[in-house]
Amino acid sequence: DAEITQSPRHKITETGRQVTLACHQTWNHNNMFWYRQDLGHGLRLIHYSYGVQDTNKGEVSDGYSVSRSNTEDLPLTLESAASSQTSVYFCASSSGGAGVGKTQYFGPGTRLLVL
Amino acid sequence: AQKITQTQPGMFVQEKEAVTLDCTYDTSDPSYGLFWYKQPSSGEMIFLIYQGSYDQQNATEGRYSLNFQKARKSANLVISASQLGDSAMYFCAMREGGSGGGADGLTFGKGTHLIIQP
């Protein structure tokens, strides 16, 4: 069965360190997204990609970067981790093409604690 | 201004009763889609139901239905015959058509924590 996986599922790091969160999907979806979830804020979009070599900034992109070298993977990098980036991170994917009805399917999430 | 508003932070409902979770949205885009997701205590985000802005009929998926009132900009989720397993956070989300052609991310509400009591 097609799926979307994230690793690690839990991560503890120190402020100032670079951290990379992995996202891998086997849906063969063109569109991939990263969100963060914080209490009282719901989910907020960090970055997204429409396909290989394409990346775009979302609502809360400062301090984060992504790269898309193949269809299956969209790693999220925290360049210099800050305590404000302690959060739960979700990766999602959807099929490509136009239309607002493309359902996004989510990975299980990564809990990141920055000390 | 918030694009998605969920006014019920928490709800307690008796098992087997119907539940309505409120969602209002704000957009000037004529093309948009509305989604509901369930997040149980285990943390995963589970897609429940979708309604497009041009859809003439309310969406239904099993025990879930969406009460779509376009003029009032509301998209309430209705769960019929609630079960203990329905206890979870529920999020309303929207994607606007805009110039991105529908491939942009979702805008989420802050969620409603639903607890089903036996």
Side-chain angles (χ1 to χ4, degrees):
Chain A
D1 286 348
E3 61 177 355
I4 181 166
T5 57
Q6 294 183 232
S7 62
R9 295 292 312 278
H10 299 87
K11 174 78 176 178
I12 300 174
T13 191
E14 296 175 341
T15 55
R17 290 189 180 270
Q18 184 181 80
V19 177
T20 297
L21 308 182
C23 175
H24 179 80
Q25 53 97 3
T26 58
W27 291 95
N28 199 32
H29 284 162
N30 283 333
N31 302 336
M32 295 185 72
F33 308 84
W34 274 103
Y35 296 87
R36 61 178 287 175
Q37 183 178 25
D38 305 290
L39 203 61
H41 286 280
L43 279 78
R44 292 179 292 175
L45 183 66
I46 305 172
H47 281 286
Y48 59 100
S49 168
Y50 296 159
V52 176
Q53 302 301 330
D54 176 79
T55 61
N56 305 278
K57 293 181 179 180
E59 177 189 356
V60 290
S61 62
D62 287 349
Y64 303 95
S65 64
V66 294
S67 62
R68 187 92 180 268
S69 59
N70 59 53
T71 301
E72 295 80 17
D73 299 289
L74 187 69
L76 177 71
T77 297
L78 286 68
E79 303 294 344
S80 177
S83 58
S84 59
Q85 294 178 307
T86 292
S87 187
V88 180
Y89 292 86
F90 285 98
C91 180
S93 71
S94 72
S95 59
V100 296
K102 301 295 182 180
T103 299
Q104 291 186 19
Y105 296 95
F106 284 77
T110 294
R111 289 186 177 273
L112 177 67
L113 175 61
V114 182
L115 299 175
Chain B
Q2 289 186 29
K3 289 201 169 185
I4 297 288
T5 302
Q6 294 182 252
T7 57
Q8 307 150 310
M11 286 184 71
F12 288 87
V13 173
Q14 289 295 122
E15 189 180 9
K16 300 182 183 177
E17 290 183 351
V19 181
T20 297
L21 304 181
D22 296 340
C23 173
T24 58
Y25 59 91
D26 182 24
T27 181
S28 58
D29 198 321
S31 176
Y32 53 90
L34 296 157
F35 301 78
W36 278 92
Y37 285 84
K38 173 183 179 181
Q39 186 178 41
S41 58
S42 52
E44 70 267 34
M45 295 290 289
I46 302 168
F47 165 70
L48 295 178
I49 196 166
Y50 163 77
Q51 180 85 43
S53 59
Y54 295 118
D55 293 343
Q56 295 297 310
Q57 294 189 335
N58 287 345
T60 60
E61 289 286 350
R63 292 188 301 113
Y64 304 108
S65 61
L66 205 152
N67 184 2
F68 182 46
Q69 297 188 45
K70 195 170 182 177
R72 297 180 60 184
K73 294 189 174 180
S74 73
N76 299 339
L77 177 70
V78 180
I79 306 174
S80 63
S82 59
Q83 302 170 356
L84 296 178
D86 294 331
S87 294
M89 284 290 293
Y90 288 82
F91 292 96
C92 180
M94 176 174 66
R95 179 185 295 150
E96 296 166 281
S99 60
D104 298 339
L106 295 168
T107 301
F108 283 82
K110 295 183 178 182
T112 295
H113 189 191
L114 175 65
I115 297 174
I116 307 298
Q117 297 175 314

